[in-house]
Amino acid sequence: MSEPALDHASPPRARWPLASVFCIVALAWFALSWPWLSGAVTIPWDAKAHFHPQLQFLASAWHKGLSPFWTPYVFSGSPQVADPQSLIFSPSFALIAALNPTPDFRWSDGAVLGTLLAGAFAIILLFRDRDWHPAGAVVAALAFAFGASAAWRIQHVGQVLSLGYFAITLLLVARALERGSAFYGFAAGVMAGFMVLGRDQVALIGVYVLVGLVVAAIAMARHPWRALRASLWPLMAGVLGAALVATVPILLTAFFAQESNRPEIDLVGAGKGSLHPAALLTALFANLYGAAGPLENFWGAPSPAFEARFGPLDLYLARNMSQLYLGLLPMLLILTVGIVRGALLRREIIALSAAAAIVLIYALGRYTPGFRLLFELPGIDFYRRPADALFILGALLALLGGYLTHLVMTDTAPRARPWHYAIEAAIFLGALGLAFWLAWTVGRLPVAAMPLLIALLCAVLSLGALVAARGLSLRGSGLAAAIVLAATLTVDLSVNNGPSESTALPSQSYEVLRADSKNETIALLKRETARTAAPDRRDRIELAGIGFHWPNASLVHELDNTLGYNPLRLGLYSKATGAEDHVALPEQRQFSPLMPGYRSLLADMLGLRFIATGVPAEQIDKRLKPGDLTQIARTKDAYVYENPRALPRVLLVTQAQKVDFDAILTSGQWPQGFDPKTTVLLDRTPPPVPTGPAQPGSVIITDYGTTEVSLRVDAPRGGFVVLNDVWHHWWQVEIDGKPAELLRANVLFRAVAVPPGRSTLRFVFRPFEGLFEDIGKRLRAERTKLQG
């Protein structure tokens, strides 16, 4: 990042044609993205199991005129507005949802790949602002968009979006400082706000890197104090832009997290997600450890094969989380021209070099002493995987590789001396020898042989392309040089970082997640829930142990599900039901003291009527006895059961009892004789209810939306209406249009006292009002604490 401007003059425009370079990168992006854009394959795992259902719910809700801020379709109800992975505040996905009520896989995949293209374009503009060579811009852009975690972990949609926003924010911050522009500062703040809304570790590391680069730009200016003064307005505008975009969503998530299942992560726990030093070899040998699949071929840390030879590592990383390859060309330049010959220490690039070194130290986690210091930074202890830093590290290395390409193309790189060549040869031969030794030691040389051979061929291709491009550049054909390197890198990245089991699976594998799916199990559950629907009933289903992508299928098909897939859930619900973040495998369906199995009062109160399991239900719930559930079907995917004891969604009761909810949650014991059809349990003294004639009453559902539920009540004696939906204090209730007190009922549900006669109830989810009340309570508590 260049020195901040001392006035508002814009830097001189670069000479090379921007549109042509955009076209070169766009064509390469299209070629590398085509497997997904064509629909032949789709981004798998979390991208489909978690994020695509979120997109489908968002689109469906909007096109039906409903709010997406709460969903009844997973975990018996969840506050989407506070969930950082709901995509509500993602511009690209929100636009797709607004345009298409039933977006297919190509829409969601295209949004992810398109965000990377936008980041690549931002990098091109960054290079053009500095009048760096277009070939360098092309190398940096393609390495950014299709290198390291951007390629190997593209299924982690939220983190990929944060990475794209990071590149755009970097460009805008640089322009704000260099031009002394409040406009660019504000735009940078807005984009940083969208990045922060990812509320993931990539966004957090990105913020720290940006802050560090800003501080370095000011401190390294020829006149730091003048530079600081010139930067104040742009930086203040940036803070304003970020605050306008991100403050409220972040506060919503912060208060949600306080009452969620999210555990605190200590230094030891975070260290289990560290990048093993052996993974650094993937910077040169892309698929050295067999990460592209099949799974049994993978032998890198922390695979069973690796641990069998080197001992237990106590690491928890998927096979694609340790991949650093971003093209052999940029890595060759970084190791030779950059490190050995010292070009990365030049004033104009040293801040980026230092940032990359620090991020690498962080990624290595417990394998470096520096991680302990970095872990003390605010927010770091929210996340469990230092290896997530490979997203940002890949972006920084891409920028450095592009810069070094610029030096080579303009003949301004440091001249090599004989000892440079000796060290460079030692580095590459040493890396090659270490890779061979590891593969031989672990007994996986046949798996590693092809990646090593491919790396040697790519090295020859890259060196030849670099020589040819440099010759073209020095003869004045800069665009031709850019085309040569773009073609070379496209071939390299398509071979080494192309579709794999981690990043691309056949689209038909996820047919159940299509809005128009003809899946037999889903069709059956839709028919059965429609059959049992009644004025007071809205039966729930459960999908357990069927497959990785099944739990959130309920979001797509609008089935009220007691489970789902999300790392973040309401803590009360998790404790009451045993719901964990996922239930892909039968053993992942955990129960709780209060819900020890499917034959339990809480299961009945939830209205859990239909249960679809990948294995016989008795293998999941060992307490089941013959007759507890009725098997109604055996589909291709699942065993489907009915629980005939499931209670209605709404109940009218006339008795109330004060109890200790915490004691019930812990012990799993309901009060003796408790019958939810006649009595409601409250955690406070029951409000007085007028008594009237002893006549039967009724309550029916007149409208059930996402954030509003309307009921019609006929209560001759008065009493309590119990809505068997998950209680959350951001919900409010009205009786005949007037506010009433929302009660937490029966540990987990909602209730309200109703007067004698007929009335209309309206439950409304109002998260922003609830947030402001939470903030007020927090401020009052802090003031009381200070006064005390």
Side-chain angles (χ1 to χ4, degrees):
M1 190 173 296
S2 302
E3 176 181 342
L6 302 183
D7 53 39
H8 293 275
S10 297
R13 292 175 60 87
R15 294 187 180 90
W16 46 269
L18 181 63
S20 298
V21 177
F22 275 172
C23 287
I24 293 170
V25 169
L27 288 172
W29 171 88
F30 187 78
L32 290 166
S33 301
W34 179 245
W36 295 273
L37 298 179
S38 69
V41 296
T42 191
I43 303 173
W45 308 113
D46 282 15
K48 292 298 165 289
H50 185 31
F51 289 100
H52 184 80
Q54 301 281 3
L55 172 63
Q56 179 56 60
F57 168 73
L58 180 63
S60 177
W62 279 359
H63 284 269
K64 291 181 178 179
L66 300 173
S67 168
F69 288 173
W70 179 276
T71 179
Y73 305 130
V74 287
F75 300 110
S76 299
S78 184
Q80 292 285 96
V81 70
D83 185 349
Q85 301 176 98
S86 67
L87 303 177
I88 291 174
F89 299 106
S90 169
S92 56
F93 281 91
L95 178 60
I96 289 173
L99 294 174
N100 189 343
T102 56
D104 64 15
F105 300 156
R106 284 182 292 185
W107 283 78
S108 53
D109 292 354
V112 177
L113 293 164
T115 301
L116 291 174
L117 177 62
F121 282 170
I123 288 175
I124 292 172
L125 291 171
L126 194 70
F127 272 63
R128 189 171 187 266
D129 286 350
R130 281 149 186 73
D131 202 12
W132 289 350
H133 199 280
V138 166
V139 168
L142 293 179
F144 164 84
F146 295 98
S149 291
W152 286 89
R153 295 182 61 187
I154 195 171
Q155 72 272 30
H156 294 124
V157 171
Q159 293 177 307
V160 174
L161 297 180
S162 294
L163 179 67
Y165 299 147
F166 167 78
I168 301 171
T169 306
L170 178 63
L171 167 69
L172 296 172
V173 167
R175 286 190 169 185
L177 294 181
E178 292 160 3
R179 307 181 185 191
S181 170
F183 169 79
Y184 277 113
F186 182 80
V190 169
M191 191 54 61
F194 285 121
M195 179 178 73
V196 169
L197 285 182
R199 288 156 281 188
D200 52 54
Q201 189 167 205
V202 175
L204 180 65
I205 296 171
V207 167
Y208 277 120
V209 168
L210 290 168
V211 170
L213 293 176
V214 168
V215 171
I218 294 172
M220 294 172 63
R222 292 184 180 86
H223 305 286
W225 285 111
R226 290 174 59 189
L228 177 61
R229 288 195 299 271
S231 302
L232 287 178
W233 281 113
L235 294 176
M236 290 173 62
V239 171
L240 175 62
L244 290 174
V245 170
T247 299
V248 171
I250 287 176
L251 288 173
L252 287 167
T253 299
F255 280 94
F256 175 32
Q258 291 176 3
E259 53 196 29
S260 75
N261 62 294
R262 193 71 173 177
E264 292 185 2
I265 299 171
D266 58 16
L267 181 65
V268 174
K272 296 179 180 181
S274 301
L275 179 72
H276 192 278
L280 296 179
L281 287 172
T282 63
L284 294 173
F285 314 114
N287 195 32
L288 173 64
Y289 299 112
L295 181 59
E296 58 268 19
N297 283 351
F298 177 63
W299 61 276
S303 69
F306 198 92
E307 291 185 331
R309 178 61 181 83
F310 297 104
L313 298 177
D314 197 23
L315 293 177
Y316 295 91
L317 294 174
R319 53 178 163 158
N320 64 326
M321 291 180 178
S322 301
Q323 301 298 308
L324 190 53
Y325 192 82
L326 63 152
L328 206 53
L329 175 63
M331 285 309 306
L332 287 172
L333 292 175
I334 288 171
L335 292 173
T336 57
V337 178
I339 295 177
V340 176
R341 304 179 199 177
L344 291 183
L345 299 179
R346 290 187 175 182
R347 181 184 179 87
E348 60 185 349
I349 203 68
I350 190 171
L352 276 176
S353 303
I358 294 170
V359 173
L360 175 59
I361 289 171
Y362 178 83
L364 290 168
R366 69 185 187 202
Y367 294 105
T368 65
F371 180 65
R372 179 178 293 274
L373 296 176
L374 295 172
F375 192 74
E376 298 301 320
L377 293 172
I380 295 295
D381 58 356
F382 290 161
Y383 302 100
R384 67 183 187 274
R385 277 196 304 263
D388 285 353
L390 290 191
F391 280 97
I392 298 296
L393 179 61
L396 295 174
L397 292 178
L399 290 167
L400 295 177
Y403 167 76
L404 296 171
T405 303
H406 152 71
L407 295 185
V408 173
M409 294 298 106
T410 56
D411 200 28
T412 54
R415 299 299 178 188
R417 299 180 180 179
W419 64 270
H420 287 149
Y421 290 124
I423 294 176
E424 291 163 5
I427 290 175
F428 291 111
L429 291 175
L432 185 62
L434 179 58
F436 266 109
W437 178 80
L438 283 173
W440 177 77
T441 302
V442 178
R444 294 301 179 92
L445 195 57
V447 176
M450 184 57 68
L452 292 174
L453 177 60
I454 291 174
L456 292 175
L457 294 175
C458 285
V460 173
L461 175 65
S462 299
L463 289 173
L466 192 65
V467 171
R470 181 174 181 273
L472 289 169
S473 177
L474 295 180
R475 289 195 296 270
S477 300
L479 281 180
I483 292 172
V484 169
L485 295 188
T488 300
L489 207 52
T490 299
V491 171
D492 184 345
L493 293 171
S494 66
V495 171
N496 290 295
N497 284 6
S500 70
E501 287 189 2
S502 295
T503 62
L505 291 177
S507 298
Q508 56 267 30
S509 302
Y510 296 97
E511 196 274 338
V512 71
L513 297 180
R514 296 184 184 276
D516 60 351
S517 172
K518 301 298 190 287
N519 181 269
E520 179 187 3
T521 305
I522 294 297
L524 173 66
L525 292 172
K526 286 182 175 180
R527 287 197 306 270
E528 290 300 303
T529 52
R531 176 182 64 83
T532 61
D536 61 344
R537 298 194 74 94
R538 184 182 169 99
D539 289 327
R540 288 192 169 96
I541 61 105
E542 179 164 306
L543 304 170
I546 306 177
F548 184 79
H549 58 283
W550 271 81
N552 277 355
S554 52
L555 277 170
V556 177
H557 301 292
E558 300 180 353
L559 293 165
D560 291 9
N561 189 358
T562 57
L563 299 177
Y565 174 24
N566 201 321
L568 195 63
R569 305 169 305 287
L570 289 170
L572 172 63
Y573 187 78
S574 292
K575 187 173 183 179
T577 64
E580 297 194 348
D581 64 341
H582 210 291
V583 64
L585 303 174
E587 58 268 24
Q588 290 175 319
R589 187 16 169 150
Q590 300 295 311
F591 294 100
S592 68
L594 195 58
M595 187 176 172
Y598 293 126
R599 180 64 190 263
S600 63
L601 183 57
L602 183 57
D604 298 342
M605 294 165 70
L606 283 166
L608 178 52
R609 184 71 172 266
F610 301 102
I611 302 164
T613 57
V615 297
E618 297 81 11
Q619 296 182 28
I620 294 177
D621 180 3
K622 303 297 192 298
R623 299 165 55 104
L624 281 177
K625 298 177 181 178
D628 285 349
L629 299 177
T630 303
Q631 183 173 341
I632 61 174
R634 172 68 172 102
T635 68
K636 177 182 177 182
D637 304 295
Y639 299 82
V640 184
Y641 302 87
E642 182 174 3
N643 170 25
R645 298 169 302 279
L647 293 174
R649 184 65 61 93
V650 290
L651 297 165
L652 176 64
V653 302
T654 56
Q655 302 177 43
Q657 179 182 347
K658 180 183 178 181
V659 296
D660 184 344
F661 285 166
D662 290 335
I664 293 176
L665 275 169
T666 302
S667 68
Q669 299 297 315
W670 298 97
Q672 186 173 3
F674 168 60
D675 183 355
K677 295 188 291 293
T678 60
T679 304
V680 61
L681 304 178
L682 304 174
D683 59 352
R684 65 185 71 181
T685 302
V689 177
T691 59
Q695 299 177 8
S698 65
V699 55
I700 64 172
I701 302 170
T702 57
D703 183 59
Y704 196 101
T706 51
T707 57
E708 292 189 20
V709 179
S710 297
L711 310 176
R712 187 163 65 241
V713 184
D714 183 4
R717 297 183 55 189
F720 297 87
V721 168
V722 179
L723 175 62
N724 285 323
D725 281 347
V726 174
W727 178 88
H728 190 277
H729 65 279
W730 290 347
W731 280 90
Q732 299 178 5
V733 64
E734 300 170 353
I735 301 178
D736 294 329
K738 298 180 180 179
E741 183 182 15
L742 179 68
L743 304 171
R744 179 179 162 194
N746 300 339
V747 177
L748 195 57
F749 305 108
R750 309 174 207 156
V752 61
V754 294
R758 296 179 178 178
S759 56
T760 299
L761 301 188
R762 181 168 170 258
F763 292 84
V764 187
F765 184 60
R766 295 190 172 115
F768 302 111
E769 291 183 24
L771 173 64
F772 295 144
E773 290 179 6
D774 288 344
I775 294 172
K777 290 178 183 178
R778 175 65 59 85
L779 293 176
R780 288 192 294 272
E782 292 296 328
R783 184 166 59 248
T784 301
K785 183 178 179 181
L786 290 173
Q787 291 173 348

